[in-house]
Every structure is written in C-alpha cells, then in structure tokens.
Amino acid sequence: VDATDDGRLVTLEDRFARFAVESAPTSPVYARFSTWLGEDAAPAAALALAPPGQVRPTLWFAGLHAALLRDPTDSLAAWYPSCGGSRDPTDPDLRAALLAAVERHGQWLEEVCATRATQTNEVGRTVALRLGLAAVRAAGVEAVSLVEVGPSAGLLLRVDRYAHVYGAGPAVGPSRGPAAPDVTVTCEVRGDATPAPADPLPVIADRVGLDAEPGDPADPEVALWLRACLWPEHAVRRARLDEALAAAAADPAPVVVGDAATDDLEALLDARPADLPVVVWHSSALAYLARPVRAGFADRLAAAAGARGTDVWQVSLEGDFLAPWDAAHTDVPPEPDGWIAHVLGLARYRPDGRREARLLARVEPHGRWVRWLDLPA
Ligand SMILES: C[S@@+](CC[C@H](N)C(=O)[O-])C[C@H]1O[C@@H](n2cnc3c(N)ncnc32)[C@H](O)[C@@H]1O
C-alpha cells in the first residue's frame, strides 16, 4: 500500500485493476492477468519492493516478460506472441501457468522490482520528430545540430536513417546513407488537415544525446530490457525496435551520460559546433524532471541561444500538461475515442531574446497517429 499525490492510499490490487482497463484494448494477456491480480495481488507482491514512483504494474510485467524472452521454452511463453506463443488468452489453463511461472521466477521478479525502472525507446515517435525537423527546414534552416534530452539508447537520434509514411502519403526518407531505410515507420493521419510536408529535413550535421542512464544498443541486456518493456502483443513496435537496435548497434548515435536538470545540458549545448543552429528534441522525457525544472526549461533554452549566438529550436513531444508553452491550447477538443494524446510543439529561441512557439500536432504517445493542428501556442 502506498500513497498517491493526493494522499489517497492505493493498493497493488487498485493498480492492477486500473491496468486491466488500460491494457484491455491492446493486450488481452496483460488485461487477463491484471483482472486476476486486481482481485488478489499476492502473486505480484514483489512489486511492493519498488521505490515510490516505480510501483507500476508495467514494471512487474516487464520483469516477467524478460524472464520469458530469456527462456521461450517456459510454459507461460506459449501465451506470449513475442515469444512465439499463440495460445488463446481465454484458455482456462492460463491462470495456473501464470502462477507457476511467478513461482519459478520469484527471485528475479523481486530483483527487477527493487532495482529497475521500465525503459522505452520508441522509434514510432520519430513521426513527430520528422515533422518538427521538417518545419525547421521550411523556415530556411539547412543544417542543424540535433540534441536529444533523454534519448535512452539513442534510436530516435538516427531519424534521418528512417523512412516515414503519413496516412496515404508516399514514404519519405531516409535522408542520410543508403537508400534503403533502417526502419519504415507508418502512422495514421487523423482529422481533415494534412500535415505540412515531412520532407526535406535539414542536414543533421552534428548529433548527441544527454541521458541519466543511457543504454548501449549493442548490449544484449539493454536490448532484452527494451523488448521486455513492450507488451507481448505489440508486434509492430517489436519489429521496429529490433530493426532499429540492429542498425544502431552497428552505427550508434553518440549519447553522453548526464542530468538534464543540471548544467550538464548547458555544457552540451555550449559544445555544439559554433555556427549551427541547435534543435533540442525530447519525447516522454520532461515528465522525469522535477516540476520546477520543467517550468524553467524553456528559459534555459532561451539563455543558451543568447550564449551561443545561434537560434535554439525545441521540438517537444510530451503529455500536454508538460508542454513548455503552457495551457494555451486546452481548447483543442478531446480525441473522440478519449485517447490521451501527446502534443508536438515547436519553439524557436533567438539570440536576441525573441521567442515563437507553435503547437504542431497531437500525436498518439507511440506515434500510431498524428492529428495536424498548427496553432499558435
Ligand atoms: C521514457 S524514456 C524515453 C526515451 C526516448 N525519449 C523515447 O521517446 O523513446 C525517458 C528517458 O529519460 C531519461 N532521463 C530521465 N531523467 C533524466 C534526466 N534528469 N536527465 C537526463 N535523462 C533523463 C531516462 O534515463 C530515459 O532514458
């Protein structure tokens, strides 16, 4: 039992019951497990060992998934499509198989919950990064330094090696290297507005990430954990991750270890080639910074533009409560299916202190769809 922000006590059962609803649309296996654990969470007691803020069913599920990916002959793996399984999740044998697997992997689950955090590196989010970079190019910028805050294994920093397909449009990219893309990412286009052209991109003449705990894409343990944090039925995401990891293992993007809440960020921005405008990109990363740090983030980018004497651009894909340009867009109607979308924002900080910002699009958190808005922020 632990307390939420509003002081209510939340049990493991509460968490799994909520996750049963959240996972139901795309993970019948996790939804079924979560329904049972929502009634009695004793089999998932290891999750109580997680530090505050990490007590999430997704952490426990990732631990179990990692055990099965490591040993796909485990009997529970027969229900996990990611492990080659194809048994029906409504099968009455599933409950006993789950309990037996939890027993077998008990010690591992305790270790995972006590020491790890879920980790993602979602290549699908490059549908948003590409639109942001193309908007920078459309403003006349031909070459940039790309700096990613919270890049994980750096897979998104290799955006110019990927091709993207928006709705019924043609594939665009890659803009660097061989014509065959390392990964092709497709997304749906919602609504009537056609996104602004996603091509060309500026040349990414310099690129670097800043992450508190980066992962080497060539390290099999890093790859295993990234795969384990995907849900077992998410085949498209899994295939994309595997392709992107294989390509990045041979040609990784540089990532520096550091804390974006400190002047590690300023040092990195300062060290970019002198004349290049900088694009600072972040997705699902600002949420990890403390509230006051988030609130001061835009001012730090503006100060960096002044210090460098070049424009600093910001391409941001975060939950809308985190967008640095505030709640000015809260009048955008909610998605018809109630999806909590992320927002893609573009800001420009000029050396003389002027700032402009636009809200470009709403984007499904893993890049499944884009709704183009292009509103002043
Ligand atoms: C949810 S992952 C998102 C990864 C990637 N941006 C993506 O969209 O797939 C968040 C990343 O932010 C990093 N992170 C968290 N706090 C950080 C900080 N204070 N400074 C730098 N990186 C941080 C984590 O290590 C992790 O790699």
Side-chain angles (χ1 to χ4, degrees), residues 119-122 125 148 150 152 156 210-213 258-260 283-284 288-289:
Q119 177 62 285
T120 51
N121 203 187
E122 180 49 66
R125 295 182 183 132
E148 180 170 2
S152 185
L156 280 56
L210 177 68
D211 201 291
E213 285 183 56
D259 182 352
S283 58
S284 298
Y288 296 84
L289 304 180

Side-chain angles (χ1 to χ4, degrees), residues 30-372:
Y30 283 2
R32 193 114 200 269
F33 292 173
S34 299
T35 303
W36 296 327
L37 295 167
E39 286 156 12
D40 175 9
L47 186 55
L49 300 173
Q54 293 298 330
V55 189
R56 301 194 186 108
T58 47
L59 177 61
W60 186 83
F61 278 120
L64 188 59
H65 196 187
L68 304 182
L69 287 167
R70 212 174 253 138
D71 178 14
T73 64
D74 189 293
S75 53
L76 183 62
W79 280 272
Y80 278 61
S82 52
C83 302
S86 56
R87 287 187 71 170
D88 179 354
T90 61
D91 189 325
D93 294 342
L94 178 57
R95 190 168 193 156
L98 170 67
L99 295 177
V102 168
E103 194 77 32
R104 269 193 300 283
H105 302 293
Q107 202 178 335
W108 163 249
L109 287 170
E110 287 183 4
E111 186 188 323
V112 164
C113 292
T115 60
R116 297 212 181 186
T118 52
Q119 177 62 285
T120 51
N121 203 187
E122 180 49 66
V123 176
R125 295 182 183 132
T126 56
V127 300
L129 173 56
R130 171 179 280 279
L131 289 170
L133 284 171
V136 173
R137 177 69 183 82
V141 180
E142 289 182 3
V144 299
S145 167
L146 178 62
V147 174
E148 180 170 2
V149 173
S152 185
L155 302 182
L156 280 56
L157 276 167
R158 302 182 73 260
V159 56
D160 50 354
R161 281 296 309 139
Y162 305 153
H164 296 89
V165 179
Y166 297 85
V172 288
S175 56
R176 171 174 68 94
D182 292 341
V183 183
T184 297
V185 185
T186 58
C187 73
E188 186 194 325
V189 174
R190 282 194 170 181
D192 299 329
T194 306
D199 208 45
L201 298 187
V203 173
I204 302 174
D206 170 67
R207 77 191 75 208
V208 70
L210 177 68
D211 201 291
E213 285 183 56
D216 174 358
D219 179 340
E221 280 301 305
V222 169
L224 178 88
W225 188 241
L226 286 169
R227 287 186 188 113
C229 290
L230 298 184
W231 300 358
E233 300 86 347
H234 290 192
V236 171
R237 296 179 66 203
R238 186 166 60 251
R240 250 174 5 207
L241 176 66
D242 284 345
E243 289 170 352
L245 279 170
D251 171 33
V255 177
V256 169
V257 180
D259 182 352
T262 71
D263 61 8
D264 289 348
L265 177 62
E266 278 73 9
L268 199 67
L269 294 174
D270 191 45
R272 305 321 337 126
D275 297 330
L276 277 182
V278 176
V279 174
V280 174
W281 151 252
H282 51 87
S283 58
S284 298
L286 279 205
Y288 296 84
L289 304 180
R291 214 174 288 246
V293 178
R294 271 169 4 213
F297 197 74
D299 286 346
R300 290 169 68 198
L301 299 186
R308 288 181 54 77
T310 70
D311 283 355
V312 171
W313 297 75
Q314 179 183 18
V315 180
S316 164
L317 182 69
E318 304 283 351
D320 59 357
F321 60 100
L322 293 176
W325 38 85
D326 247 329
H329 56 273
T330 47
D331 50 349
V332 179
E335 290 302 316
D337 51 7
W339 253 106
I340 302 165
H342 282 187
V343 293
L344 172 63
L346 177 71
R348 179 181 194 170
Y349 307 93
R350 300 187 195 237
D352 64 8
R354 281 179 296 154
R355 302 179 183 197
E356 299 132 41
R358 294 191 79 69
L359 169 65
L360 295 185
R362 260 214 192 122
V363 182
E364 190 278 333
H366 298 137
R368 284 194 190 94
W369 54 257
V370 164
R371 179 189 297 279
W372 188 251

